[in-house]
Amino acid sequence: MRASILTAEHETFRETLRTFIRKEILPHVDLWEKQGQIDRQIWKKMGDMGFMGLNYPEEYGGLNLDFYFSMIFCEEMSHCFSGGFTISALVIQYMSAPYLLKHGSEELKQKYLRPVISGDLVSAVAITEPGAGSDVQQIKTTAIQEGDYYIVNGSKTFITNGYYGDFFITAVKTNPEKGNKGISLLLIDCNSPGVTANKITKMGWLASDTAELGFDQVKVPVSHLIGEEGSGFKYLMGGLQLERLTAAIHSLATTESALNYTLDYMRQREAFGRKLQDFQVLRHRVAQLVADITTTKAFIQHCCDLQEQGEYAVKECSIAKLQASELAVRVVSECLQLFGGYGFTEDYKIARLYRDVRVGTIIGGTSEIMLEIIAKIAIDDIQYQPKENK
């Protein structure tokens, strides 16, 4: 099945999700943006609807659906006029919890994954450090085993859901001398003694709680090791394609949302006795944006097909993430221009979207990293292979 041939069940799900968003999310988004905090009850409501475990096995409370349901979920959640809320939801389901599903012990799945899917717990993934971003091998946070515990010391930064979340899937050095083969993943509870979290003041994504984390002699049970010790780097590399694909879907859907919002404004706004939509120069500018969005969307749907088929699509997901995030910055900037002075005010949501899309070229690997990956494949003939069992 291809994304271009969605079933009636998929479309019913889209309408159900849209209804939920209109009732339970949109009325509260502005308050969440202002407070810099998402009401935790929304995760429980989404869990009750099955929205937090679309592709997860039924044995853990998931729905075991195909990836196109997640594609629809990412699209519709991106129409909420709050990148902060959307990214918080995507981090839980597609960027942190998958490590538990793929590599976590049965004990961890029952204690942490099941409550995430039900909406009772909020998860985060903690990789980036003040001195290590895209170069994961350079992380400094250590976890040295002492008996039945790892003693964790170090810091993380730019962690979505890091302040109000319940636990972190954390990249640590269990054997600093072994380079990337010394990296492991630990599940660290936010309430563990020695864990500190400070909210970061950001330009955009205001509803999400992005935090800087500190670990000072934090005792983590050995049972909280995710998978095998020393295998964390390959686990992270294996999870990046899903992260980048969902980020691409989010960027493009936000772009579509911004353009539709702008078109509504152009139908109402008059200048020199004419609607903005009647000026040929503006019509052609919009037409080009539509063309760019449409072609990028077709490629992203192709990537969704590959994801559904279980392909390890490094090149395709890197291209999707690069093109969608860069396009979002350009399109939303042009949309803001069409609002004139009003676009520079908080009276219209285009200003919020303008702030929110900018980080899309940075998260999950910068545009520069995406270009280098593509260059290695196209120029150096490097073939990336999956480093984990499906």
Side-chain angles (χ1 to χ4, degrees), residues 17 19-29 32 37-52 73 77 80 82 84-86 88-89 92 115-122 161 207 209:
L17 181 57
T19 300
F20 179 88
I21 289 171
R22 284 195 296 267
K23 179 182 178 182
E24 303 290 353
I25 297 176
L26 290 181
H28 309 292
V29 159
W32 296 343
Q37 181 179 354
I38 299 166
D39 185 346
R40 287 181 63 101
Q41 284 302 308
I42 192 61
W43 307 124
K44 182 57 179 173
K45 291 179 180 179
M46 290 173 64
D48 290 343
M49 292 292 292
F51 295 150
M52 300 303 291
F73 178 83
M77 294 293 283
C80 295
S82 172
F85 170 72
T86 305
S88 291
I92 295 170
V116 163
I117 293 172
S118 66
D120 292 299
L121 291 181
V122 174
N161 298 342
D209 56 300

mmCIF file of all heavy atoms in Angstrom, residues 17 19-29 32 37-52 73 77 80 82 84-86 88-89 92 115-122 161 207 209:
data_model
loop_
_atom_site.group_PDB
_atom_site.id
_atom_site.type_symbol
_atom_site.label_atom_id
_atom_site.label_comp_id
_atom_site.label_asym_id
_atom_site.label_seq_id
_atom_site.Cartn_x
_atom_site.Cartn_y
_atom_site.Cartn_z
ATOM 1 N N LEU A 17 -9.263 12.431 14.431
ATOM 2 C CA LEU A 17 -8.166 13.204 15.015
ATOM 3 C C LEU A 17 -8.436 14.702 14.896
ATOM 4 O O LEU A 17 -8.200 15.463 15.844
ATOM 5 C CB LEU A 17 -6.849 12.836 14.334
ATOM 6 C CG LEU A 17 -5.586 13.538 14.832
ATOM 7 C CD1 LEU A 17 -5.391 13.303 16.330
ATOM 8 C CD2 LEU A 17 -4.365 13.037 14.055
ATOM 9 N N THR A 19 -11.305 16.198 14.760
ATOM 10 C CA THR A 19 -12.351 16.550 15.722
ATOM 11 C C THR A 19 -11.765 16.678 17.125
ATOM 12 O O THR A 19 -12.086 17.617 17.868
ATOM 13 C CB THR A 19 -13.461 15.483 15.711
ATOM 14 O OG1 THR A 19 -14.035 15.418 14.396
ATOM 15 C CG2 THR A 19 -14.546 15.823 16.724
ATOM 16 N N PHE A 20 -10.904 15.743 17.481
ATOM 17 C CA PHE A 20 -10.253 15.788 18.786
ATOM 18 C C PHE A 20 -9.411 17.048 18.927
ATOM 19 O O PHE A 20 -9.436 17.723 19.972
ATOM 20 C CB PHE A 20 -9.373 14.549 18.961
ATOM 21 C CG PHE A 20 -8.638 14.498 20.270
ATOM 22 C CD1 PHE A 20 -9.221 13.931 21.393
ATOM 23 C CD2 PHE A 20 -7.353 15.025 20.391
ATOM 24 C CE1 PHE A 20 -8.547 13.876 22.603
ATOM 25 C CE2 PHE A 20 -6.668 14.988 21.596
ATOM 26 C CZ PHE A 20 -7.276 14.418 22.701
ATOM 27 N N ILE A 21 -8.653 17.383 17.897
ATOM 28 C CA ILE A 21 -7.793 18.572 17.927
ATOM 29 C C ILE A 21 -8.626 19.839 18.110
ATOM 30 O O ILE A 21 -8.279 20.714 18.917
ATOM 31 C CB ILE A 21 -6.938 18.656 16.648
ATOM 32 C CG1 ILE A 21 -5.859 17.564 16.666
ATOM 33 C CG2 ILE A 21 -6.283 20.029 16.516
ATOM 34 C CD1 ILE A 21 -5.093 17.424 15.364
ATOM 35 N N ARG A 22 -9.722 19.937 17.373
ATOM 36 C CA ARG A 22 -10.591 21.130 17.482
ATOM 37 C C ARG A 22 -11.173 21.263 18.888
ATOM 38 O O ARG A 22 -11.283 22.379 19.417
ATOM 39 C CB ARG A 22 -11.719 21.054 16.453
ATOM 40 C CG ARG A 22 -11.308 21.365 15.028
ATOM 41 C CD ARG A 22 -12.514 21.617 14.152
ATOM 42 N NE ARG A 22 -13.356 20.432 14.038
ATOM 43 C CZ ARG A 22 -13.251 19.526 13.064
ATOM 44 N NH1 ARG A 22 -12.308 19.661 12.137
ATOM 45 N NH2 ARG A 22 -14.058 18.473 13.020
ATOM 46 N N LYS A 23 -11.494 20.139 19.505
ATOM 47 C CA LYS A 23 -12.155 20.175 20.811
ATOM 48 C C LYS A 23 -11.180 20.264 21.971
ATOM 49 O O LYS A 23 -11.392 21.042 22.920
ATOM 50 C CB LYS A 23 -13.023 18.924 20.973
ATOM 51 C CG LYS A 23 -13.741 18.848 22.317
ATOM 52 C CD LYS A 23 -14.551 17.563 22.438
ATOM 53 C CE LYS A 23 -15.227 17.461 23.798
ATOM 54 N NZ LYS A 23 -15.983 16.177 23.958
ATOM 55 N N GLU A 24 -10.093 19.504 21.916
ATOM 56 C CA GLU A 24 -9.229 19.332 23.089
ATOM 57 C C GLU A 24 -7.900 20.079 23.025
ATOM 58 O O GLU A 24 -7.258 20.264 24.063
ATOM 59 C CB GLU A 24 -8.939 17.837 23.305
ATOM 60 C CG GLU A 24 -10.177 16.969 23.478
ATOM 61 C CD GLU A 24 -10.892 17.214 24.798
ATOM 62 O OE1 GLU A 24 -10.351 17.958 25.649
ATOM 63 O OE2 GLU A 24 -12.003 16.674 24.977
ATOM 64 N N ILE A 25 -7.488 20.509 21.841
ATOM 65 C CA ILE A 25 -6.166 21.122 21.712
ATOM 66 C C ILE A 25 -6.231 22.592 21.322
ATOM 67 O O ILE A 25 -5.688 23.455 22.032
ATOM 68 C CB ILE A 25 -5.300 20.336 20.704
ATOM 69 C CG1 ILE A 25 -5.070 18.906 21.216
ATOM 70 C CG2 ILE A 25 -3.959 21.047 20.474
ATOM 71 C CD1 ILE A 25 -4.321 18.011 20.257
ATOM 72 N N LEU A 26 -6.884 22.911 20.223
ATOM 73 C CA LEU A 26 -6.894 24.290 19.725
ATOM 74 C C LEU A 26 -7.379 25.320 20.742
ATOM 75 O O LEU A 26 -6.810 26.419 20.817
ATOM 76 C CB LEU A 26 -7.722 24.376 18.441
ATOM 77 C CG LEU A 26 -7.103 23.699 17.203
ATOM 78 C CD1 LEU A 26 -8.006 23.865 16.001
ATOM 79 C CD2 LEU A 26 -5.715 24.252 16.917
ATOM 80 N N PRO A 27 -8.404 25.009 21.546
ATOM 81 C CA PRO A 27 -8.846 26.022 22.521
ATOM 82 C C PRO A 27 -7.809 26.354 23.586
ATOM 83 O O PRO A 27 -7.929 27.371 24.275
ATOM 84 C CB PRO A 27 -10.089 25.370 23.158
ATOM 85 C CG PRO A 27 -10.567 24.368 22.158
ATOM 86 C CD PRO A 27 -9.311 23.843 21.537
ATOM 87 N N HIS A 28 -6.782 25.519 23.742
ATOM 88 C CA HIS A 28 -5.821 25.696 24.832
ATOM 89 C C HIS A 28 -4.422 26.091 24.363
ATOM 90 O O HIS A 28 -3.572 26.419 25.190
ATOM 91 C CB HIS A 28 -5.721 24.395 25.640
ATOM 92 C CG HIS A 28 -7.043 23.850 26.070
ATOM 93 N ND1 HIS A 28 -7.852 24.481 27.004
ATOM 94 C CD2 HIS A 28 -7.721 22.740 25.673
ATOM 95 C CE1 HIS A 28 -8.958 23.771 27.177
ATOM 96 N NE2 HIS A 28 -8.902 22.721 26.385
ATOM 97 N N VAL A 29 -4.185 26.038 23.063
ATOM 98 C CA VAL A 29 -2.832 26.250 22.538
ATOM 99 C C VAL A 29 -2.268 27.610 22.933
ATOM 100 O O VAL A 29 -1.105 27.725 23.352
ATOM 101 C CB VAL A 29 -2.822 26.076 21.006
ATOM 102 C CG1 VAL A 29 -1.610 26.762 20.392
ATOM 103 C CG2 VAL A 29 -2.805 24.595 20.643
ATOM 104 N N TRP A 32 -1.119 27.558 26.493
ATOM 105 C CA TRP A 32 0.103 26.773 26.642
ATOM 106 C C TRP A 32 1.311 27.546 26.138
ATOM 107 O O TRP A 32 2.390 27.489 26.728
ATOM 108 C CB TRP A 32 -0.024 25.448 25.901
ATOM 109 C CG TRP A 32 -1.098 24.549 26.439
ATOM 110 C CD1 TRP A 32 -1.713 24.637 27.669
ATOM 111 C CD2 TRP A 32 -1.708 23.435 25.777
ATOM 112 N NE1 TRP A 32 -2.658 23.652 27.794
ATOM 113 C CE2 TRP A 32 -2.676 22.898 26.669
ATOM 114 C CE3 TRP A 32 -1.534 22.847 24.534
ATOM 115 C CZ2 TRP A 32 -3.459 21.788 26.319
ATOM 116 C CZ3 TRP A 32 -2.303 21.743 24.189
ATOM 117 C CH2 TRP A 32 -3.254 21.225 25.074
ATOM 118 N N GLN A 37 4.013 25.853 29.043
ATOM 119 C CA GLN A 37 3.741 24.560 29.666
ATOM 120 C C GLN A 37 2.483 23.953 29.081
ATOM 121 O O GLN A 37 1.470 24.623 28.929
ATOM 122 C CB GLN A 37 3.582 24.725 31.179
ATOM 123 C CG GLN A 37 3.307 23.429 31.921
ATOM 124 C CD GLN A 37 3.172 23.635 33.421
ATOM 125 O OE1 GLN A 37 3.386 24.737 33.925
ATOM 126 N NE2 GLN A 37 2.832 22.590 34.151
ATOM 127 N N ILE A 38 2.552 22.678 28.735
ATOM 128 C CA ILE A 38 1.417 21.946 28.198
ATOM 129 C C ILE A 38 0.705 21.226 29.337
ATOM 130 O O ILE A 38 1.355 20.572 30.167
ATOM 131 C CB ILE A 38 1.879 20.921 27.141
ATOM 132 C CG1 ILE A 38 2.575 21.642 25.974
ATOM 133 C CG2 ILE A 38 0.717 20.079 26.635
ATOM 134 C CD1 ILE A 38 3.352 20.711 25.066
ATOM 135 N N ASP A 39 -0.597 21.336 29.386
ATOM 136 C CA ASP A 39 -1.380 20.647 30.409
ATOM 137 C C ASP A 39 -1.197 19.134 30.229
ATOM 138 O O ASP A 39 -1.530 18.574 29.189
ATOM 139 C CB ASP A 39 -2.858 21.023 30.266
ATOM 140 C CG ASP A 39 -3.722 20.445 31.369
ATOM 141 O OD1 ASP A 39 -3.245 19.545 32.102
ATOM 142 O OD2 ASP A 39 -4.881 20.878 31.497
ATOM 143 N N ARG A 40 -0.684 18.477 31.243
ATOM 144 C CA ARG A 40 -0.395 17.041 31.147
ATOM 145 C C ARG A 40 -1.643 16.204 30.870
ATOM 146 O O ARG A 40 -1.540 15.079 30.362
ATOM 147 C CB ARG A 40 0.272 16.547 32.430
ATOM 148 C CG ARG A 40 1.721 16.992 32.590
ATOM 149 C CD ARG A 40 2.289 16.414 33.880
ATOM 150 N NE ARG A 40 2.313 14.966 33.837
ATOM 151 C CZ ARG A 40 3.418 14.248 33.570
ATOM 152 N NH1 ARG A 40 4.550 14.853 33.306
ATOM 153 N NH2 ARG A 40 3.371 12.925 33.580
ATOM 154 N N GLN A 41 -2.812 16.735 31.189
ATOM 155 C CA GLN A 41 -4.031 15.966 30.963
ATOM 156 C C GLN A 41 -4.262 15.668 29.488
ATOM 157 O O GLN A 41 -4.956 14.701 29.149
ATOM 158 C CB GLN A 41 -5.238 16.725 31.540
ATOM 159 C CG GLN A 41 -5.338 16.664 33.047
ATOM 160 C CD GLN A 41 -5.410 15.242 33.571
ATOM 161 O OE1 GLN A 41 -6.231 14.444 33.121
ATOM 162 N NE2 GLN A 41 -4.536 14.912 34.519
ATOM 163 N N ILE A 42 -3.673 16.473 28.615
ATOM 164 C CA ILE A 42 -3.880 16.238 27.184
ATOM 165 C C ILE A 42 -3.250 14.920 26.760
ATOM 166 O O ILE A 42 -3.775 14.205 25.892
ATOM 167 C CB ILE A 42 -3.331 17.406 26.331
ATOM 168 C CG1 ILE A 42 -3.821 17.271 24.878
ATOM 169 C CG2 ILE A 42 -1.815 17.462 26.370
ATOM 170 C CD1 ILE A 42 -5.320 17.312 24.713
ATOM 171 N N TRP A 43 -2.127 14.563 27.393
ATOM 172 C CA TRP A 43 -1.489 13.292 27.021
ATOM 173 C C TRP A 43 -2.361 12.112 27.439
ATOM 174 O O TRP A 43 -2.455 11.114 26.712
ATOM 175 C CB TRP A 43 -0.110 13.178 27.669
ATOM 176 C CG TRP A 43 0.790 14.344 27.403
ATOM 177 C CD1 TRP A 43 1.424 15.137 28.323
ATOM 178 C CD2 TRP A 43 1.173 14.876 26.114
ATOM 179 N NE1 TRP A 43 2.158 16.118 27.696
ATOM 180 C CE2 TRP A 43 2.028 15.987 26.346
ATOM 181 C CE3 TRP A 43 0.871 14.522 24.803
ATOM 182 C CZ2 TRP A 43 2.572 16.738 25.310
ATOM 183 C CZ3 TRP A 43 1.412 15.269 23.771
ATOM 184 C CH2 TRP A 43 2.261 16.358 24.021
ATOM 185 N N LYS A 44 -3.009 12.251 28.601
ATOM 186 C CA LYS A 44 -3.900 11.192 29.048
ATOM 187 C C LYS A 44 -5.105 11.066 28.122
ATOM 188 O O LYS A 44 -5.528 9.950 27.772
ATOM 189 C CB LYS A 44 -4.358 11.468 30.491
ATOM 190 C CG LYS A 44 -5.261 10.387 31.074
ATOM 191 C CD LYS A 44 -4.589 9.020 31.049
ATOM 192 C CE LYS A 44 -5.487 7.951 31.660
ATOM 193 N NZ LYS A 44 -4.919 6.584 31.492
ATOM 194 N N LYS A 45 -5.650 12.201 27.722
ATOM 195 C CA LYS A 45 -6.788 12.169 26.791
ATOM 196 C C LYS A 45 -6.396 11.543 25.462
ATOM 197 O O LYS A 45 -7.161 10.772 24.870
ATOM 198 C CB LYS A 45 -7.326 13.586 26.582
ATOM 199 C CG LYS A 45 -8.011 14.180 27.798
ATOM 200 C CD LYS A 45 -8.499 15.602 27.527
ATOM 201 C CE LYS A 45 -9.185 16.189 28.749
ATOM 202 N NZ LYS A 45 -9.652 17.583 28.504
ATOM 203 N N MET A 46 -5.199 11.884 24.995
ATOM 204 C CA MET A 46 -4.717 11.299 23.746
ATOM 205 C C MET A 46 -4.440 9.811 23.914
ATOM 206 O O MET A 46 -4.700 9.018 23.000
ATOM 207 C CB MET A 46 -3.456 12.041 23.281
ATOM 208 C CG MET A 46 -3.742 13.460 22.795
ATOM 209 S SD MET A 46 -2.249 14.427 22.433
ATOM 210 C CE MET A 46 -1.565 13.486 21.071
ATOM 211 N N GLY A 47 -3.929 9.435 25.080
ATOM 212 C CA GLY A 47 -3.700 8.021 25.350
ATOM 213 C C GLY A 47 -4.993 7.233 25.359
ATOM 214 O O GLY A 47 -5.069 6.110 24.825
ATOM 215 N N ASP A 48 -6.020 7.805 25.952
ATOM 216 C CA ASP A 48 -7.327 7.139 26.000
ATOM 217 C C ASP A 48 -7.897 6.917 24.601
ATOM 218 O O ASP A 48 -8.636 5.955 24.370
ATOM 219 C CB ASP A 48 -8.313 7.965 26.824
ATOM 220 C CG ASP A 48 -7.984 7.965 28.314
ATOM 221 O OD1 ASP A 48 -7.212 7.085 28.749
ATOM 222 O OD2 ASP A 48 -8.492 8.853 29.037
ATOM 223 N N MET A 49 -7.544 7.802 23.676
ATOM 224 C CA MET A 49 -8.019 7.687 22.291
ATOM 225 C C MET A 49 -7.129 6.758 21.459
ATOM 226 O O MET A 49 -7.457 6.467 20.301
ATOM 227 C CB MET A 49 -8.055 9.069 21.640
ATOM 228 C CG MET A 49 -9.098 10.015 22.219
ATOM 229 S SD MET A 49 -10.793 9.491 21.848
ATOM 230 C CE MET A 49 -10.844 9.763 20.068
ATOM 231 N N GLY A 50 -6.022 6.331 22.030
ATOM 232 C CA GLY A 50 -5.103 5.469 21.293
ATOM 233 C C GLY A 50 -4.092 6.221 20.452
ATOM 234 O O GLY A 50 -3.316 5.607 19.702
ATOM 235 N N PHE A 51 -4.058 7.546 20.574
ATOM 236 C CA PHE A 51 -3.198 8.367 19.724
ATOM 237 C C PHE A 51 -1.715 8.291 20.097
ATOM 238 O O PHE A 51 -0.867 8.710 19.318
ATOM 239 C CB PHE A 51 -3.637 9.838 19.780
ATOM 240 C CG PHE A 51 -5.002 10.104 19.214
ATOM 241 C CD1 PHE A 51 -5.777 11.145 19.710
ATOM 242 C CD2 PHE A 51 -5.512 9.317 18.202
ATOM 243 C CE1 PHE A 51 -7.039 11.413 19.184
ATOM 244 C CE2 PHE A 51 -6.778 9.561 17.675
ATOM 245 C CZ PHE A 51 -7.546 10.609 18.172
ATOM 246 N N MET A 52 -1.385 7.773 21.287
ATOM 247 C CA MET A 52 0.004 7.782 21.738
ATOM 248 C C MET A 52 0.743 6.479 21.434
ATOM 249 O O MET A 52 1.922 6.349 21.767
ATOM 250 C CB MET A 52 0.071 8.062 23.247
ATOM 251 C CG MET A 52 -0.531 9.393 23.668
ATOM 252 S SD MET A 52 0.228 10.807 22.841
ATOM 253 C CE MET A 52 1.861 10.795 23.577
ATOM 254 N N PHE A 73 -1.097 11.414 11.641
ATOM 255 C CA PHE A 73 -0.973 12.009 12.978
ATOM 256 C C PHE A 73 -0.007 13.187 12.956
ATOM 257 O O PHE A 73 -0.316 14.265 13.477
ATOM 258 C CB PHE A 73 -0.485 10.934 13.961
ATOM 259 C CG PHE A 73 -0.271 11.420 15.362
ATOM 260 C CD1 PHE A 73 -1.328 11.522 16.250
ATOM 261 C CD2 PHE A 73 0.999 11.770 15.806
ATOM 262 C CE1 PHE A 73 -1.129 11.962 17.553
ATOM 263 C CE2 PHE A 73 1.217 12.209 17.102
ATOM 264 C CZ PHE A 73 0.145 12.309 17.976
ATOM 265 N N MET A 77 -1.369 17.024 13.636
ATOM 266 C CA MET A 77 -0.855 17.672 14.839
ATOM 267 C C MET A 77 -0.067 18.930 14.492
ATOM 268 O O MET A 77 0.064 19.839 15.320
ATOM 269 C CB MET A 77 0.030 16.698 15.618
ATOM 270 C CG MET A 77 -0.704 15.500 16.187
ATOM 271 S SD MET A 77 -1.885 15.938 17.483
ATOM 272 C CE MET A 77 -0.746 16.190 18.837
ATOM 273 N N CYS A 80 -1.802 22.697 14.416
ATOM 274 C CA CYS A 80 -2.300 23.252 15.679
ATOM 275 C C CYS A 80 -1.779 24.667 15.962
ATOM 276 O O CYS A 80 -2.100 25.230 17.008
ATOM 277 C CB CYS A 80 -1.905 22.344 16.845
ATOM 278 S SG CYS A 80 -2.652 20.718 16.812
ATOM 279 N N SER A 82 1.130 25.500 16.835
ATOM 280 C CA SER A 82 2.051 25.473 17.970
ATOM 281 C C SER A 82 3.085 24.384 17.734
ATOM 282 O O SER A 82 2.844 23.212 18.040
ATOM 283 C CB SER A 82 1.314 25.216 19.282
ATOM 284 O OG SER A 82 2.244 25.018 20.344
ATOM 285 N N GLY A 84 5.661 23.961 19.368
ATOM 286 C CA GLY A 84 6.079 23.457 20.666
ATOM 287 C C GLY A 84 5.235 22.290 21.126
ATOM 288 O O GLY A 84 5.755 21.284 21.627
ATOM 289 N N PHE A 85 3.919 22.402 20.966
ATOM 290 C CA PHE A 85 3.051 21.298 21.347
ATOM 291 C C PHE A 85 3.292 20.093 20.448
ATOM 292 O O PHE A 85 3.423 18.957 20.922
ATOM 293 C CB PHE A 85 1.578 21.695 21.277
ATOM 294 C CG PHE A 85 0.654 20.527 21.434
ATOM 295 C CD1 PHE A 85 0.509 19.911 22.662
ATOM 296 C CD2 PHE A 85 -0.036 20.010 20.344
ATOM 297 C CE1 PHE A 85 -0.319 18.796 22.814
ATOM 298 C CE2 PHE A 85 -0.847 18.902 20.478
ATOM 299 C CZ PHE A 85 -1.001 18.303 21.716
ATOM 300 N N THR A 86 3.364 20.350 19.144
ATOM 301 C CA THR A 86 3.525 19.247 18.199
ATOM 302 C C THR A 86 4.810 18.474 18.452
ATOM 303 O O THR A 86 4.811 17.241 18.497
ATOM 304 C CB THR A 86 3.507 19.766 16.752
ATOM 305 O OG1 THR A 86 2.315 20.512 16.524
ATOM 306 C CG2 THR A 86 3.568 18.612 15.770
ATOM 307 N N SER A 88 6.519 18.163 21.150
ATOM 308 C CA SER A 88 6.438 17.405 22.397
ATOM 309 C C SER A 88 5.762 16.059 22.164
ATOM 310 O O SER A 88 6.199 15.027 22.688
ATOM 311 C CB SER A 88 5.678 18.199 23.463
ATOM 312 O OG SER A 88 6.423 19.325 23.872
ATOM 313 N N ALA A 89 4.705 16.069 21.355
ATOM 314 C CA ALA A 89 3.991 14.827 21.040
ATOM 315 C C ALA A 89 4.847 13.898 20.184
ATOM 316 O O ALA A 89 4.879 12.682 20.405
ATOM 317 C CB ALA A 89 2.685 15.150 20.327
ATOM 318 N N ILE A 92 7.706 12.107 22.145
ATOM 319 C CA ILE A 92 7.252 10.978 22.957
ATOM 320 C C ILE A 92 7.111 9.720 22.108
ATOM 321 O O ILE A 92 7.689 8.671 22.413
ATOM 322 C CB ILE A 92 5.901 11.307 23.635
ATOM 323 C CG1 ILE A 92 6.069 12.447 24.635
ATOM 324 C CG2 ILE A 92 5.331 10.059 24.318
ATOM 325 C CD1 ILE A 92 4.754 12.989 25.173
ATOM 326 N N PRO A 115 2.870 2.919 30.302
ATOM 327 C CA PRO A 115 2.310 4.194 30.767
ATOM 328 C C PRO A 115 2.503 5.348 29.772
ATOM 329 O O PRO A 115 1.697 6.286 29.750
ATOM 330 C CB PRO A 115 3.064 4.470 32.072
ATOM 331 C CG PRO A 115 3.550 3.142 32.530
ATOM 332 C CD PRO A 115 3.865 2.395 31.278
ATOM 333 N N VAL A 116 3.554 5.297 28.954
ATOM 334 C CA VAL A 116 3.717 6.323 27.914
ATOM 335 C C VAL A 116 2.587 6.213 26.901
ATOM 336 O O VAL A 116 1.965 7.216 26.509
ATOM 337 C CB VAL A 116 5.088 6.174 27.206
ATOM 338 C CG1 VAL A 116 5.097 6.939 25.882
ATOM 339 C CG2 VAL A 116 6.200 6.693 28.099
ATOM 340 N N ILE A 117 2.301 5.003 26.466
ATOM 341 C CA ILE A 117 1.255 4.779 25.466
ATOM 342 C C ILE A 117 -0.121 5.129 26.024
ATOM 343 O O ILE A 117 -0.992 5.624 25.303
ATOM 344 C CB ILE A 117 1.301 3.313 24.979
ATOM 345 C CG1 ILE A 117 2.603 3.077 24.204
ATOM 346 C CG2 ILE A 117 0.094 2.974 24.120
ATOM 347 C CD1 ILE A 117 2.854 1.628 23.828
ATOM 348 N N SER A 118 -0.324 4.924 27.320
ATOM 349 C CA SER A 118 -1.616 5.265 27.941
ATOM 350 C C SER A 118 -1.729 6.756 28.244
ATOM 351 O O SER A 118 -2.803 7.243 28.600
ATOM 352 C CB SER A 118 -1.813 4.464 29.231
ATOM 353 O OG SER A 118 -0.868 4.841 30.225
ATOM 354 N N GLY A 119 -0.607 7.480 28.131
ATOM 355 C CA GLY A 119 -0.623 8.920 28.390
ATOM 356 C C GLY A 119 -0.358 9.296 29.829
ATOM 357 O O GLY A 119 -0.523 10.452 30.213
ATOM 358 N N ASP A 120 0.075 8.335 30.634
ATOM 359 C CA ASP A 120 0.330 8.597 32.055
ATOM 360 C C ASP A 120 1.750 9.078 32.326
ATOM 361 O O ASP A 120 2.008 9.696 33.359
ATOM 362 C CB ASP A 120 0.049 7.334 32.873
ATOM 363 C CG ASP A 120 -1.427 6.976 32.883
ATOM 364 O OD1 ASP A 120 -2.229 7.794 33.371
ATOM 365 O OD2 ASP A 120 -1.773 5.891 32.390
ATOM 366 N N LEU A 121 2.691 8.768 31.431
ATOM 367 C CA LEU A 121 4.065 9.221 31.577
ATOM 368 C C LEU A 121 4.509 9.948 30.309
ATOM 369 O O LEU A 121 4.047 9.632 29.205
ATOM 370 C CB LEU A 121 5.018 8.045 31.834
ATOM 371 C CG LEU A 121 4.911 7.317 33.182
ATOM 372 C CD1 LEU A 121 5.960 6.204 33.244
ATOM 373 C CD2 LEU A 121 5.071 8.269 34.353
ATOM 374 N N VAL A 122 5.407 10.920 30.480
ATOM 375 C CA VAL A 122 5.960 11.689 29.363
ATOM 376 C C VAL A 122 7.444 11.372 29.245
ATOM 377 O O VAL A 122 8.192 11.487 30.221
ATOM 378 C CB VAL A 122 5.759 13.199 29.578
ATOM 379 C CG1 VAL A 122 6.473 13.997 28.493
ATOM 380 C CG2 VAL A 122 4.265 13.536 29.595
ATOM 381 N N ASN A 161 10.794 18.093 26.415
ATOM 382 C CA ASN A 161 10.121 17.367 27.500
ATOM 383 C C ASN A 161 11.065 17.113 28.671
ATOM 384 O O ASN A 161 10.791 16.281 29.533
ATOM 385 C CB ASN A 161 9.537 16.026 27.025
ATOM 386 C CG ASN A 161 8.476 16.193 25.965
ATOM 387 O OD1 ASN A 161 7.916 17.272 25.792
ATOM 388 N ND2 ASN A 161 8.196 15.133 25.225
ATOM 389 N N ALA A 207 5.542 26.566 23.735
ATOM 390 C CA ALA A 207 4.732 25.670 24.571
ATOM 391 C C ALA A 207 5.533 24.479 25.085
ATOM 392 O O ALA A 207 5.196 23.898 26.118
ATOM 393 C CB ALA A 207 3.516 25.173 23.792
ATOM 394 N N ASP A 209 8.618 22.344 26.738
ATOM 395 C CA ASP A 209 9.552 22.579 27.840
ATOM 396 C C ASP A 209 10.926 22.039 27.449
ATOM 397 O O ASP A 209 11.229 20.879 27.637
ATOM 398 C CB ASP A 209 9.057 21.935 29.137
ATOM 399 C CG ASP A 209 8.808 20.440 28.990
ATOM 400 O OD1 ASP A 209 7.970 20.070 28.158
ATOM 401 O OD2 ASP A 209 9.459 19.646 29.695
#
